Amino acid sequence: MDPVTLGFIGVGLLVALIVIGVPVAFAAAVIGIGGLWYMRGIDTAIGLSGIVPHATSTSYELSVLPLFIAIGFLALHAGITRGAFQAARLWLGRAPGGLATATIFASAGFSAVSGASTATAAVFTRLAVPEMEQRGYDRALAAGVVAVGGTLAALIPPSAILVIYGILVEESIGRLLLAGIIPGIISMAIYMVVITIVVKRNPSLAPSLEPVRMIEKLKSLTQVWGILAVVGVILGGVYFGWMTPTESAAVGTAIILSIAATRGMRLVDLKAGLLETVKTTAMIFMVIWGVLVFVRFLAFTGMPAMVTDAVLELDVAPWVILMGVILLYLVMGMVLDGLGMLILTLPVIYPAIIALGYDPIWFGVLVVKMIEIGLITPPVGLNCYVVHGVRPDIPLEQVFRGVAPFLVGEVVIVAILVLFPEVVLFLPDTMMN
């Protein structure tokens, strides 16, 4: 069989297995090993499959991932999340849809110590939705805001998905983390504008809150210093070149542990946070191992190079191909999760995009933004399912109705990233080595 044809068959099998529910790690690994076995024999297949996990797990760059995951779970069990939400509520509650806007801000704050979209959505479904309901907010709006707020964790450092992208395409983790900051801030601003417009058109969706004294607002800021410290260490250390991403993540973890100790974190909560960290890390490492075996198989087939050559020979402008890639990610986001999208597309699309002259850091942020949109787009919309899973009394269609206005905002955000790539590249290009 022609190797390129075999590569296409491998991709098709991977899509089929993922669609029917086979875990991504196992699907990618089985197809990769099977393909290598068919092409190069059992010795090569077993040899590469053994080398990849060891080489990956002993990589210094990959050690940043479990540390970032630990920061998120320890912050959750230390109770830092509730303080951030209460502070945002006091400062923003009087604005139109103020409690919804406060949820976006608090979600961004938790994202800055979490890096996990579904965890952020789950936490604020428990924390913010009941308070919005108590204050008379429309339930669909409340659920939609929480689902959308959770997507910020995909961009705002420390983003696990950006780290995985960097590992898969062998790009600088530090530059990728810095590249997500301004797009994350832009996303927050657009979400706030959407909330304001929706509430201005129908004030009954979000009644105004009572005024709060300035002294209470100032006192609330003491609840957010931990988040600011962690963000400052991670981003400042990487930007100024004082620390590697792994070193900054280690210091951030130490800060979170110190805060947890001062707040009287129970041993059972510490154990739970560490156990969840280990489980999540093991799951992500398995996915990475399986994907890298699959990528080795595709490299032997020559399929990615063939696709790159075919794309370069197209008699169209590069931006037309880019729009096609964006539409592809939009459609895939409706049926696949973020990791699945990266696994299926990067081995084939990434070489072609880079050959067209697009910056790999900018493309990484754009891809992650499209993954964010997929998290709130039906019929899958993983964050929407998380909200419904935590609150089964909120129908899934109500959650999707709540996120609908924000999808218009997402189109605006993607347009900004495409038309003004400098908003992504400014911080990475000015970082100090």
Side-chain angles (χ1 to χ4, degrees), residues 68-407:
F68 279 159
I69 294 170
I71 288 174
F73 282 121
L74 292 173
L76 172 61
H77 288 281
I80 293 175
T81 312
R82 182 172 296 277
F85 176 65
Q86 294 304 328
R89 179 183 64 81
L90 292 176
W91 281 91
L92 302 170
R94 289 287 291 169
L99 201 51
T101 300
T103 301
I104 294 295
F105 264 84
S107 296
F110 183 67
S111 297
V113 294
S114 168
S117 295
T118 52
T120 304
V123 167
F124 283 93
T125 301
R126 297 187 183 96
L127 188 63
V129 171
E131 183 146 356
M132 283 190 273
E133 288 177 323
Q134 183 180 350
R135 303 282 182 165
Y137 273 59
D138 177 72
R139 179 177 281 187
L141 174 63
V145 165
V146 168
V148 169
T151 66
L152 292 170
L155 273 183
I156 296 177
S159 166
I161 199 75
L162 274 176
V163 172
I164 294 171
Y165 170 88
I167 292 167
L168 293 178
V169 303
E170 299 181 353
E171 275 297 329
S172 166
I173 302 300
R175 286 173 57 81
L176 281 165
L177 293 176
L178 291 173
I181 297 174
I182 295 178
I185 294 172
I186 291 173
S187 297
M188 286 175 55
I190 297 296
Y191 296 159
M192 290 165 53
V193 170
V194 170
I195 290 170
T196 301
I197 293 173
V198 168
V199 173
K200 285 284 189 181
R201 292 184 60 184
N202 188 357
S204 65
L205 296 177
S208 297
L209 302 186
E210 64 280 358
V212 179
R213 294 182 302 165
M214 180 56 68
I215 186 66
E216 294 181 31
K217 293 181 179 180
L218 294 175
K219 285 181 178 179
S220 69
L221 296 179
T222 61
Q223 301 294 315
V224 299
W225 72 268
I227 291 176
L228 297 177
V230 172
V231 173
V233 164
I234 292 176
L235 299 184
V238 172
Y239 181 80
F240 291 108
W242 297 333
M243 293 178 282
T244 65
T246 299
E247 291 167 345
S248 66
V251 175
T253 304
I255 292 173
I256 288 294
L257 280 171
S258 301
I259 296 171
T262 59
R263 295 192 176 188
M265 185 180 191
R266 298 177 304 165
L267 184 60
V268 65
D269 291 328
L270 175 62
K271 180 181 177 181
L274 294 176
L275 187 59
E276 290 177 89
T277 298
V278 171
K279 289 179 179 178
T280 305
T281 301
M283 180 272 293
I284 292 176
F285 270 52
M286 287 183 65
V287 170
I288 292 173
W289 296 340
V291 170
L292 291 180
V293 171
F294 180 73
V295 169
R296 295 295 191 282
F297 156 63
L298 285 186
F300 275 110
T301 66
M303 176 218 174
M306 189 278 289
V307 172
T308 299
D309 292 340
V311 169
L312 293 177
E313 291 173 2
L314 292 175
D315 189 23
V316 295
W319 69 266
V320 176
I321 297 173
L322 179 64
M323 290 301 103
V325 170
I326 289 174
L327 288 175
L328 173 65
Y329 275 112
L330 183 62
V331 173
M332 291 182 69
M334 295 179 181
V335 295
L336 291 174
D337 63 5
L339 281 176
M341 291 167 67
L342 289 183
I343 291 163
L344 289 174
T345 59
L346 287 183
V348 179
I349 290 177
Y350 178 80
I353 288 293
I354 302 309
L356 289 171
Y358 290 108
D359 186 274
I361 300 294
W362 169 82
F363 181 66
V365 171
L366 181 63
V367 167
V368 168
K369 186 63 204 178
M370 297 310 299
I371 289 175
E372 281 190 17
I373 296 174
L375 290 172
I376 56 173
T377 306
V380 176
L382 188 57
N383 273 18
C384 296
Y385 278 87
V386 169
V387 173
H388 173 65
V390 176
R391 286 287 305 272
D393 59 309
I394 302 179
L396 192 58
E397 59 270 21
Q398 202 168 39
V399 183
F400 281 122
R401 190 170 76 247
V403 303
F406 294 96
L407 295 177

